[in-house]
Amino acid sequence: MLFRVNGKFPANMDFPIDILKQRAPDCNGAVAFEGASGYNGSMMARPRSQLLRSRRIVLLIVPILLLAAVLAGRYFSSRKTVTEVPSSFRDQTLSEAQEVQVNINPGDFCAAVLERGGMDGHEAARLIADVRPVYDLAKIRSGQVLTLFFEKGLLRNLVYPIDRDSFLEAWRGSGGGFRGRVAAVSYDVRRETVRIRIENSLYEATLASGEMMELFEPLSRMFEYDVDFNRDIQPGDMVSAVLEKKYLNGRLAAYGDILAAELLNHGKSIRVVRYPSPGGGMGYYHPDGRSTRRMFLRCPLPFVRVTSRYGRRRHPILGYSRQHNGTDFAAPYGTPVRATASGVVSGRGRDGGRGNYVTIRHANGFASHYYHLNRFAGGLRVGLRVEQGQVIGTIGSTGLSTGPHLHYGLLKNGRYLNPLRLQSPSVAPLPKEKIVEFQTYCHLVFTPILRPQANPLPANIPINAGSLPLEAGNVRDPR
């Protein structure tokens, strides 16, 4: 129904266009207003534009309202309110709960992993928030496995391995919320002796010995200041170590500290013992109290092959002879490259010859160069201080290079040195007042290694020599 005010329609009225067209259409399709003196078809422009704007607004608002309704429906339909978990639920053992293991993939975030494992989205958000004061689940790493335990459709427990020695355990509290703690893995730690006979390389010998390969790197690092495992090893050399082995459910799961080790290299015995350093922390020392650590590592790579030595040579790409001011080490792409001494990064960049390169300034006028890198370590920049052994990049073949390798150069007061012939100075030894106690400990800790065997030692067979003879009330264990 149409209303008139003093014989006219109100100017601000939204008109029902279809009704008006049915009421009085003219020959041009315009609308004439009955009894509306002074109005004609041209006067419809203003209300028509207002109606079109109104329709556009409606078309914009309606989808938003529909989307909000759908989301609200999902929220209220899937939301689970738990005010009190039944005592029977809490008293059940984990073996009676439904166990779900979820692999964490690259790019995953915790809420998605929990939902993939069967948790409700709101429950997952609550779990993450509740345990954040104990451990931030945003730090989960790909390759790990999240273990969930369900009872009556609700998450009861969660277990996440933070690292090899600790894990997060979360559980549902009596009020429906979650609690958590970080706990140590309950390993059965045993002190044992391992002997490895070397025929070609320490890497191959460790692999053939039946030991886990993670033993190779810490074992080789104990001797890296005294022996070049790429050049000095002879067939028949022997490595023996007293170490901690960590067992879980009766199976070897990890290694602990290497307490002492001996390398018989071409008939020469090199012994190293782990012992507290005067300045704090732990260090490695020879039985006479000298530190094994030197100012420079013998090599910036854990295991390599020398492909080009220091001196004059014919360049493999340029084709003419010139001085080679460094040593080239071949290694697979991605092999970590370590700083051979502590210092400050003085150069980081890329050019046509050196490729990706890093230069480090050290104390006493020394500097080291690392060329042809594939990648730089994250955060590496000029002016950054790096420590000896810190990874600064990875092996590549950038610049003038015929394959993946590292060019390692060393300078003293601006003059190049042969890195393989450097006589690196040692760091401070143990104080004299500590020597007697230290040597007594050395005698005890090396006893399993020096104990004569009844039968000849088969090649590459690890030997279990039992616990260390460290009795209570005797010399203290320095760990």
Side-chain angles (χ1 to χ4, degrees), residues 23-58:
R23 186 175 182 89
D26 64 6
C27 61
N28 295 320
V31 178
F33 301 109
E34 179 183 9
S37 176
Y39 282 78
N40 56 33
S42 64
M43 294 298 293
M44 280 301 298
R46 183 170 179 267
R48 181 185 294 272
S49 62
Q50 290 178 344
L51 181 62
L52 292 175
R53 282 197 298 272
S54 300
R55 287 184 172 178
R56 292 192 189 101
I57 293 172
V58 170

PDB file of all heavy atoms in Angstrom, residues 23-58:
ATOM      1  N   ARG A  23       1.302  -0.320 -11.213  1.00  0.00           N
ATOM      2  CA  ARG A  23       0.222   0.624 -10.932  1.00  0.00           C
ATOM      3  C   ARG A  23       0.054   1.634 -12.057  1.00  0.00           C
ATOM      4  O   ARG A  23      -1.036   1.928 -12.482  1.00  0.00           O
ATOM      5  CB  ARG A  23       0.521   1.341  -9.623  1.00  0.00           C
ATOM      6  CG  ARG A  23      -0.616   2.244  -9.147  1.00  0.00           C
ATOM      7  CD  ARG A  23      -0.264   2.790  -7.798  1.00  0.00           C
ATOM      8  NE  ARG A  23      -1.346   3.612  -7.282  1.00  0.00           N
ATOM      9  CZ  ARG A  23      -2.368   3.180  -6.555  1.00  0.00           C
ATOM     10  NH1 ARG A  23      -2.463   1.904  -6.286  1.00  0.00           N
ATOM     11  NH2 ARG A  23      -3.300   4.003  -6.107  1.00  0.00           N
ATOM     12  N   ALA A  24       1.147   2.191 -12.595  1.00  0.00           N
ATOM     13  CA  ALA A  24       0.984   3.250 -13.606  1.00  0.00           C
ATOM     14  C   ALA A  24       2.200   3.313 -14.506  1.00  0.00           C
ATOM     15  O   ALA A  24       2.938   4.277 -14.475  1.00  0.00           O
ATOM     16  CB  ALA A  24       0.769   4.595 -12.918  1.00  0.00           C
ATOM     17  N   PRO A  25       2.408   2.334 -15.330  1.00  0.00           N
ATOM     18  CA  PRO A  25       3.536   2.418 -16.265  1.00  0.00           C
ATOM     19  C   PRO A  25       3.165   3.299 -17.442  1.00  0.00           C
ATOM     20  O   PRO A  25       2.041   3.292 -17.901  1.00  0.00           O
ATOM     21  CB  PRO A  25       3.720   0.972 -16.697  1.00  0.00           C
ATOM     22  CG  PRO A  25       2.371   0.353 -16.565  1.00  0.00           C
ATOM     23  CD  PRO A  25       1.700   1.031 -15.448  1.00  0.00           C
ATOM     24  N   ASP A  26       4.155   4.086 -17.912  1.00  0.00           N
ATOM     25  CA  ASP A  26       3.916   4.862 -19.122  1.00  0.00           C
ATOM     26  C   ASP A  26       4.492   4.106 -20.302  1.00  0.00           C
ATOM     27  O   ASP A  26       5.027   3.018 -20.171  1.00  0.00           O
ATOM     28  CB  ASP A  26       4.491   6.284 -19.014  1.00  0.00           C
ATOM     29  CG  ASP A  26       6.003   6.284 -18.879  1.00  0.00           C
ATOM     30  OD1 ASP A  26       6.603   5.175 -18.986  1.00  0.00           O
ATOM     31  OD2 ASP A  26       6.578   7.347 -18.641  1.00  0.00           O
ATOM     32  N   CYS A  27       4.388   4.733 -21.462  1.00  0.00           N
ATOM     33  CA  CYS A  27       4.809   4.034 -22.670  1.00  0.00           C
ATOM     34  C   CYS A  27       6.312   3.823 -22.734  1.00  0.00           C
ATOM     35  O   CYS A  27       6.789   2.989 -23.489  1.00  0.00           O
ATOM     36  CB  CYS A  27       4.310   4.794 -23.911  1.00  0.00           C
ATOM     37  SG  CYS A  27       4.983   6.478 -23.989  1.00  0.00           S
ATOM     38  N   ASN A  28       7.072   4.563 -21.966  1.00  0.00           N
ATOM     39  CA  ASN A  28       8.534   4.433 -21.992  1.00  0.00           C
ATOM     40  C   ASN A  28       9.064   3.562 -20.851  1.00  0.00           C
ATOM     41  O   ASN A  28      10.251   3.490 -20.619  1.00  0.00           O
ATOM     42  CB  ASN A  28       9.202   5.805 -21.894  1.00  0.00           C
ATOM     43  CG  ASN A  28       8.879   6.659 -23.120  1.00  0.00           C
ATOM     44  OD1 ASN A  28       8.855   6.123 -24.233  1.00  0.00           O
ATOM     45  ND2 ASN A  28       8.613   7.933 -22.907  1.00  0.00           N
ATOM     46  N   GLY A  29       8.141   2.984 -20.137  1.00  0.00           N
ATOM     47  CA  GLY A  29       8.584   2.151 -19.038  1.00  0.00           C
ATOM     48  C   GLY A  29       8.836   2.938 -17.784  1.00  0.00           C
ATOM     49  O   GLY A  29       9.192   2.392 -16.761  1.00  0.00           O
ATOM     50  N   ALA A  30       8.650   4.279 -17.837  1.00  0.00           N
ATOM     51  CA  ALA A  30       8.827   5.088 -16.637  1.00  0.00           C
ATOM     52  C   ALA A  30       7.579   4.964 -15.789  1.00  0.00           C
ATOM     53  O   ALA A  30       6.550   4.478 -16.217  1.00  0.00           O
ATOM     54  CB  ALA A  30       9.077   6.548 -17.020  1.00  0.00           C
ATOM     55  N   VAL A  31       7.670   5.444 -14.555  1.00  0.00           N
ATOM     56  CA  VAL A  31       6.559   5.320 -13.629  1.00  0.00           C
ATOM     57  C   VAL A  31       5.984   6.702 -13.375  1.00  0.00           C
ATOM     58  O   VAL A  31       6.685   7.635 -13.049  1.00  0.00           O
ATOM     59  CB  VAL A  31       7.019   4.691 -12.307  1.00  0.00           C
ATOM     60  CG1 VAL A  31       5.856   4.614 -11.340  1.00  0.00           C
ATOM     61  CG2 VAL A  31       7.596   3.310 -12.578  1.00  0.00           C
ATOM     62  N   ALA A  32       4.670   6.828 -13.559  1.00  0.00           N
ATOM     63  CA  ALA A  32       3.985   8.082 -13.236  1.00  0.00           C
ATOM     64  C   ALA A  32       3.273   7.883 -11.927  1.00  0.00           C
ATOM     65  O   ALA A  32       2.681   6.845 -11.676  1.00  0.00           O
ATOM     66  CB  ALA A  32       2.985   8.432 -14.326  1.00  0.00           C
ATOM     67  N   PHE A  33       3.393   8.870 -11.041  1.00  0.00           N
ATOM     68  CA  PHE A  33       2.791   8.785  -9.714  1.00  0.00           C
ATOM     69  C   PHE A  33       1.400   9.340  -9.744  1.00  0.00           C
ATOM     70  O   PHE A  33       1.185  10.490 -10.125  1.00  0.00           O
ATOM     71  CB  PHE A  33       3.641   9.558  -8.700  1.00  0.00           C
ATOM     72  CG  PHE A  33       5.047   9.024  -8.633  1.00  0.00           C
ATOM     73  CD1 PHE A  33       6.106   9.753  -9.132  1.00  0.00           C
ATOM     74  CD2 PHE A  33       5.290   7.773  -8.093  1.00  0.00           C
ATOM     75  CE1 PHE A  33       7.376   9.268  -9.072  1.00  0.00           C
ATOM     76  CE2 PHE A  33       6.570   7.285  -8.035  1.00  0.00           C
ATOM     77  CZ  PHE A  33       7.630   8.027  -8.530  1.00  0.00           C
ATOM     78  N   GLU A  34       0.485   8.481  -9.337  1.00  0.00           N
ATOM     79  CA  GLU A  34      -0.932   8.881  -9.337  1.00  0.00           C
ATOM     80  C   GLU A  34      -1.149   9.984  -8.292  1.00  0.00           C
ATOM     81  O   GLU A  34      -0.807   9.817  -7.121  1.00  0.00           O
ATOM     82  CB  GLU A  34      -1.800   7.664  -9.004  1.00  0.00           C
ATOM     83  CG  GLU A  34      -3.270   7.989  -8.965  1.00  0.00           C
ATOM     84  CD  GLU A  34      -4.081   6.800  -8.576  1.00  0.00           C
ATOM     85  OE1 GLU A  34      -3.491   5.769  -8.180  1.00  0.00           O
ATOM     86  OE2 GLU A  34      -5.310   6.895  -8.667  1.00  0.00           O
ATOM     87  N   GLY A  35      -1.724  11.089  -8.812  1.00  0.00           N
ATOM     88  CA  GLY A  35      -2.053  12.184  -7.913  1.00  0.00           C
ATOM     89  C   GLY A  35      -0.850  12.897  -7.374  1.00  0.00           C
ATOM     90  O   GLY A  35      -0.958  13.662  -6.426  1.00  0.00           O
ATOM     91  N   ALA A  36       0.354  12.616  -7.915  1.00  0.00           N
ATOM     92  CA  ALA A  36       1.566  13.256  -7.406  1.00  0.00           C
ATOM     93  C   ALA A  36       1.870  14.423  -8.294  1.00  0.00           C
ATOM     94  O   ALA A  36       2.595  14.318  -9.264  1.00  0.00           O
ATOM     95  CB  ALA A  36       2.707  12.281  -7.398  1.00  0.00           C
ATOM     96  N   SER A  37       1.280  15.573  -7.991  1.00  0.00           N
ATOM     97  CA  SER A  37       1.453  16.780  -8.805  1.00  0.00           C
ATOM     98  C   SER A  37       2.917  17.190  -8.787  1.00  0.00           C
ATOM     99  O   SER A  37       3.572  17.232  -7.756  1.00  0.00           O
ATOM    100  CB  SER A  37       0.588  17.914  -8.244  1.00  0.00           C
ATOM    101  OG  SER A  37       0.822  19.098  -8.966  1.00  0.00           O
ATOM    102  N   GLY A  38       3.448  17.488  -9.985  1.00  0.00           N
ATOM    103  CA  GLY A  38       4.838  17.929 -10.103  1.00  0.00           C
ATOM    104  C   GLY A  38       5.820  16.797 -10.276  1.00  0.00           C
ATOM    105  O   GLY A  38       6.995  17.016 -10.483  1.00  0.00           O
ATOM    106  N   TYR A  39       5.376  15.571 -10.185  1.00  0.00           N
ATOM    107  CA  TYR A  39       6.289  14.415 -10.357  1.00  0.00           C
ATOM    108  C   TYR A  39       6.072  13.843 -11.746  1.00  0.00           C
ATOM    109  O   TYR A  39       4.968  13.749 -12.227  1.00  0.00           O
ATOM    110  CB  TYR A  39       5.974  13.319  -9.333  1.00  0.00           C
ATOM    111  CG  TYR A  39       6.516  13.643  -7.964  1.00  0.00           C
ATOM    112  CD1 TYR A  39       5.847  14.557  -7.150  1.00  0.00           C
ATOM    113  CD2 TYR A  39       7.657  13.029  -7.492  1.00  0.00           C
ATOM    114  CE1 TYR A  39       6.341  14.843  -5.885  1.00  0.00           C
ATOM    115  CE2 TYR A  39       8.128  13.311  -6.243  1.00  0.00           C
ATOM    116  CZ  TYR A  39       7.472  14.215  -5.430  1.00  0.00           C
ATOM    117  OH  TYR A  39       7.954  14.494  -4.214  1.00  0.00           O
ATOM    118  N   ASN A  40       7.103  13.423 -12.390  1.00  0.00           N
ATOM    119  CA  ASN A  40       6.992  12.706 -13.648  1.00  0.00           C
ATOM    120  C   ASN A  40       8.018  11.585 -13.682  1.00  0.00           C
ATOM    121  O   ASN A  40       8.733  11.341 -12.705  1.00  0.00           O
ATOM    122  CB  ASN A  40       7.164  13.660 -14.845  1.00  0.00           C
ATOM    123  CG  ASN A  40       8.489  14.424 -14.763  1.00  0.00           C
ATOM    124  OD1 ASN A  40       9.462  13.877 -14.261  1.00  0.00           O
ATOM    125  ND2 ASN A  40       8.509  15.656 -15.252  1.00  0.00           N
ATOM    126  N   GLY A  41       8.080  10.917 -14.821  1.00  0.00           N
ATOM    127  CA  GLY A  41       8.957   9.738 -14.893  1.00  0.00           C
ATOM    128  C   GLY A  41      10.408  10.073 -14.617  1.00  0.00           C
ATOM    129  O   GLY A  41      11.148   9.260 -14.072  1.00  0.00           O
ATOM    130  N   SER A  42      10.893  11.251 -14.997  1.00  0.00           N
ATOM    131  CA  SER A  42      12.304  11.584 -14.789  1.00  0.00           C
ATOM    132  C   SER A  42      12.652  11.746 -13.330  1.00  0.00           C
ATOM    133  O   SER A  42      13.812  11.679 -12.944  1.00  0.00           O
ATOM    134  CB  SER A  42      12.640  12.869 -15.557  1.00  0.00           C
ATOM    135  OG  SER A  42      11.881  13.951 -15.009  1.00  0.00           O
ATOM    136  N   MET A  43      11.649  11.923 -12.505  1.00  0.00           N
ATOM    137  CA  MET A  43      11.917  12.114 -11.081  1.00  0.00           C
ATOM    138  C   MET A  43      12.217  10.783 -10.381  1.00  0.00           C
ATOM    139  O   MET A  43      12.508  10.764  -9.195  1.00  0.00           O
ATOM    140  CB  MET A  43      10.700  12.778 -10.418  1.00  0.00           C
ATOM    141  CG  MET A  43      10.443  14.209 -10.925  1.00  0.00           C
ATOM    142  SD  MET A  43      11.817  15.299 -10.574  1.00  0.00           S
ATOM    143  CE  MET A  43      11.725  15.357  -8.794  1.00  0.00           C
ATOM    144  N   MET A  44      12.185   9.663 -11.074  1.00  0.00           N
ATOM    145  CA  MET A  44      12.453   8.368 -10.443  1.00  0.00           C
ATOM    146  C   MET A  44      13.952   8.061 -10.314  1.00  0.00           C
ATOM    147  O   MET A  44      14.349   7.103  -9.699  1.00  0.00           O
ATOM    148  CB  MET A  44      11.817   7.249 -11.270  1.00  0.00           C
ATOM    149  CG  MET A  44      10.334   7.112 -11.021  1.00  0.00           C
ATOM    150  SD  MET A  44       9.983   6.777  -9.306  1.00  0.00           S
ATOM    151  CE  MET A  44      10.805   5.234  -9.110  1.00  0.00           C
ATOM    152  N   ALA A  45      14.808   8.883 -10.881  1.00  0.00           N
ATOM    153  CA  ALA A  45      16.260   8.589 -10.881  1.00  0.00           C
ATOM    154  C   ALA A  45      16.811   8.479  -9.473  1.00  0.00           C
ATOM    155  O   ALA A  45      17.579   7.603  -9.138  1.00  0.00           O
ATOM    156  CB  ALA A  45      16.991   9.667 -11.670  1.00  0.00           C
ATOM    157  N   ARG A  46      16.441   9.400  -8.599  1.00  0.00           N
ATOM    158  CA  ARG A  46      16.996   9.419  -7.251  1.00  0.00           C
ATOM    159  C   ARG A  46      16.576   8.195  -6.435  1.00  0.00           C
ATOM    160  O   ARG A  46      17.409   7.512  -5.872  1.00  0.00           O
ATOM    161  CB  ARG A  46      16.583  10.702  -6.555  1.00  0.00           C
ATOM    162  CG  ARG A  46      17.179  10.842  -5.155  1.00  0.00           C
ATOM    163  CD  ARG A  46      16.926  12.247  -4.645  1.00  0.00           C
ATOM    164  NE  ARG A  46      17.472  12.397  -3.304  1.00  0.00           N
ATOM    165  CZ  ARG A  46      16.790  12.206  -2.182  1.00  0.00           C
ATOM    166  NH1 ARG A  46      15.525  11.826  -2.249  1.00  0.00           N
ATOM    167  NH2 ARG A  46      17.348  12.363  -0.998  1.00  0.00           N
ATOM    168  N   PRO A  47      15.244   7.867  -6.336  1.00  0.00           N
ATOM    169  CA  PRO A  47      14.903   6.667  -5.580  1.00  0.00           C
ATOM    170  C   PRO A  47      15.421   5.377  -6.207  1.00  0.00           C
ATOM    171  O   PRO A  47      15.753   4.434  -5.517  1.00  0.00           O
ATOM    172  CB  PRO A  47      13.392   6.692  -5.528  1.00  0.00           C
ATOM    173  CG  PRO A  47      12.970   7.599  -6.630  1.00  0.00           C
ATOM    174  CD  PRO A  47      14.046   8.607  -6.756  1.00  0.00           C
ATOM    175  N   ARG A  48      15.538   5.287  -7.541  1.00  0.00           N
ATOM    176  CA  ARG A  48      16.067   4.088  -8.181  1.00  0.00           C
ATOM    177  C   ARG A  48      17.533   3.884  -7.782  1.00  0.00           C
ATOM    178  O   ARG A  48      17.952   2.770  -7.455  1.00  0.00           O
ATOM    179  CB  ARG A  48      15.945   4.186  -9.702  1.00  0.00           C
ATOM    180  CG  ARG A  48      16.463   2.927 -10.422  1.00  0.00           C
ATOM    181  CD  ARG A  48      16.423   3.135 -11.930  1.00  0.00           C
ATOM    182  NE  ARG A  48      15.060   3.263 -12.395  1.00  0.00           N
ATOM    183  CZ  ARG A  48      14.296   2.246 -12.753  1.00  0.00           C
ATOM    184  NH1 ARG A  48      14.740   1.010 -12.643  1.00  0.00           N
ATOM    185  NH2 ARG A  48      13.080   2.442 -13.197  1.00  0.00           N
ATOM    186  N   SER A  49      18.339   4.898  -7.773  1.00  0.00           N
ATOM    187  CA  SER A  49      19.757   4.761  -7.402  1.00  0.00           C
ATOM    188  C   SER A  49      19.888   4.366  -5.935  1.00  0.00           C
ATOM    189  O   SER A  49      20.760   3.591  -5.561  1.00  0.00           O
ATOM    190  CB  SER A  49      20.504   6.072  -7.674  1.00  0.00           C
ATOM    191  OG  SER A  49      19.968   7.114  -6.871  1.00  0.00           O
ATOM    192  N   GLN A  50      18.989   4.904  -5.092  1.00  0.00           N
ATOM    193  CA  GLN A  50      19.026   4.506  -3.692  1.00  0.00           C
ATOM    194  C   GLN A  50      18.707   3.023  -3.536  1.00  0.00           C
ATOM    195  O   GLN A  50      19.326   2.308  -2.742  1.00  0.00           O
ATOM    196  CB  GLN A  50      18.022   5.328  -2.889  1.00  0.00           C
ATOM    197  CG  GLN A  50      18.431   6.799  -2.729  1.00  0.00           C
ATOM    198  CD  GLN A  50      17.381   7.587  -1.971  1.00  0.00           C
ATOM    199  OE1 GLN A  50      16.243   7.124  -1.838  1.00  0.00           O
ATOM    200  NE2 GLN A  50      17.749   8.768  -1.495  1.00  0.00           N
ATOM    201  N   LEU A  51      17.737   2.545  -4.294  1.00  0.00           N
ATOM    202  CA  LEU A  51      17.385   1.133  -4.218  1.00  0.00           C
ATOM    203  C   LEU A  51      18.527   0.238  -4.684  1.00  0.00           C
ATOM    204  O   LEU A  51      18.839  -0.788  -4.075  1.00  0.00           O
ATOM    205  CB  LEU A  51      16.143   0.867  -5.062  1.00  0.00           C
ATOM    206  CG  LEU A  51      15.656  -0.595  -5.051  1.00  0.00           C
ATOM    207  CD1 LEU A  51      15.266  -1.002  -3.655  1.00  0.00           C
ATOM    208  CD2 LEU A  51      14.497  -0.766  -6.019  1.00  0.00           C
ATOM    209  N   LEU A  52      19.211   0.634  -5.751  1.00  0.00           N
ATOM    210  CA  LEU A  52      20.329  -0.153  -6.246  1.00  0.00           C
ATOM    211  C   LEU A  52      21.446  -0.222  -5.218  1.00  0.00           C
ATOM    212  O   LEU A  52      22.070  -1.260  -5.008  1.00  0.00           O
ATOM    213  CB  LEU A  52      20.851   0.430  -7.566  1.00  0.00           C
ATOM    214  CG  LEU A  52      19.895   0.310  -8.762  1.00  0.00           C
ATOM    215  CD1 LEU A  52      20.466   1.018  -9.975  1.00  0.00           C
ATOM    216  CD2 LEU A  52      19.634  -1.164  -9.086  1.00  0.00           C
ATOM    217  N   ARG A  53      21.697   0.919  -4.567  1.00  0.00           N
ATOM    218  CA  ARG A  53      22.727   0.901  -3.523  1.00  0.00           C
ATOM    219  C   ARG A  53      22.319  -0.018  -2.374  1.00  0.00           C
ATOM    220  O   ARG A  53      23.126  -0.734  -1.799  1.00  0.00           O
ATOM    221  CB  ARG A  53      22.965   2.323  -3.008  1.00  0.00           C
ATOM    222  CG  ARG A  53      23.821   3.172  -3.950  1.00  0.00           C
ATOM    223  CD  ARG A  53      24.357   4.385  -3.217  1.00  0.00           C
ATOM    224  NE  ARG A  53      23.303   5.260  -2.740  1.00  0.00           N
ATOM    225  CZ  ARG A  53      22.749   6.253  -3.463  1.00  0.00           C
ATOM    226  NH1 ARG A  53      23.191   6.483  -4.697  1.00  0.00           N
ATOM    227  NH2 ARG A  53      21.802   7.006  -2.957  1.00  0.00           N
ATOM    228  N   SER A  54      21.026   0.032  -2.033  1.00  0.00           N
ATOM    229  CA  SER A  54      20.541  -0.831  -0.957  1.00  0.00           C
ATOM    230  C   SER A  54      20.699  -2.301  -1.323  1.00  0.00           C
ATOM    231  O   SER A  54      21.092  -3.132  -0.487  1.00  0.00           O
ATOM    232  CB  SER A  54      19.073  -0.531  -0.652  1.00  0.00           C
ATOM    233  OG  SER A  54      18.912   0.813  -0.249  1.00  0.00           O
ATOM    234  N   ARG A  55      20.393  -2.637  -2.572  1.00  0.00           N
ATOM    235  CA  ARG A  55      20.544  -4.021  -3.001  1.00  0.00           C
ATOM    236  C   ARG A  55      22.008  -4.475  -2.951  1.00  0.00           C
ATOM    237  O   ARG A  55      22.315  -5.604  -2.578  1.00  0.00           O
ATOM    238  CB  ARG A  55      19.988  -4.205  -4.414  1.00  0.00           C
ATOM    239  CG  ARG A  55      18.473  -4.179  -4.464  1.00  0.00           C
ATOM    240  CD  ARG A  55      17.974  -4.450  -5.863  1.00  0.00           C
ATOM    241  NE  ARG A  55      16.530  -4.616  -5.875  1.00  0.00           N
ATOM    242  CZ  ARG A  55      15.823  -4.835  -6.988  1.00  0.00           C
ATOM    243  NH1 ARG A  55      16.461  -4.899  -8.153  1.00  0.00           N
ATOM    244  NH2 ARG A  55      14.520  -4.987  -6.939  1.00  0.00           N
ATOM    245  N   ARG A  56      22.898  -3.580  -3.351  1.00  0.00           N
ATOM    246  CA  ARG A  56      24.328  -3.943  -3.295  1.00  0.00           C
ATOM    247  C   ARG A  56      24.756  -4.223  -1.866  1.00  0.00           C
ATOM    248  O   ARG A  56      25.512  -5.154  -1.584  1.00  0.00           O
ATOM    249  CB  ARG A  56      25.183  -2.822  -3.891  1.00  0.00           C
ATOM    250  CG  ARG A  56      25.025  -2.636  -5.388  1.00  0.00           C
ATOM    251  CD  ARG A  56      26.098  -1.739  -5.940  1.00  0.00           C
ATOM    252  NE  ARG A  56      25.857  -1.379  -7.326  1.00  0.00           N
ATOM    253  CZ  ARG A  56      25.347  -0.224  -7.725  1.00  0.00           C
ATOM    254  NH1 ARG A  56      25.013   0.702  -6.824  1.00  0.00           N
ATOM    255  NH2 ARG A  56      25.158   0.015  -9.012  1.00  0.00           N
ATOM    256  N   ILE A  57      24.300  -3.401  -0.941  1.00  0.00           N
ATOM    257  CA  ILE A  57      24.642  -3.592   0.469  1.00  0.00           C
ATOM    258  C   ILE A  57      24.121  -4.924   0.971  1.00  0.00           C
ATOM    259  O   ILE A  57      24.813  -5.678   1.670  1.00  0.00           O
ATOM    260  CB  ILE A  57      24.097  -2.430   1.320  1.00  0.00           C
ATOM    261  CG1 ILE A  57      24.828  -1.131   0.953  1.00  0.00           C
ATOM    262  CG2 ILE A  57      24.245  -2.725   2.807  1.00  0.00           C
ATOM    263  CD1 ILE A  57      24.236   0.098   1.587  1.00  0.00           C
ATOM    264  N   VAL A  58      22.871  -5.246   0.576  1.00  0.00           N
ATOM    265  CA  VAL A  58      22.286  -6.521   0.997  1.00  0.00           C
ATOM    266  C   VAL A  58      23.095  -7.686   0.431  1.00  0.00           C
ATOM    267  O   VAL A  58      23.382  -8.669   1.123  1.00  0.00           O
ATOM    268  CB  VAL A  58      20.822  -6.611   0.557  1.00  0.00           C
ATOM    269  CG1 VAL A  58      20.279  -8.021   0.782  1.00  0.00           C
ATOM    270  CG2 VAL A  58      19.983  -5.599   1.328  1.00  0.00           C
TER     271      VAL A  58
END
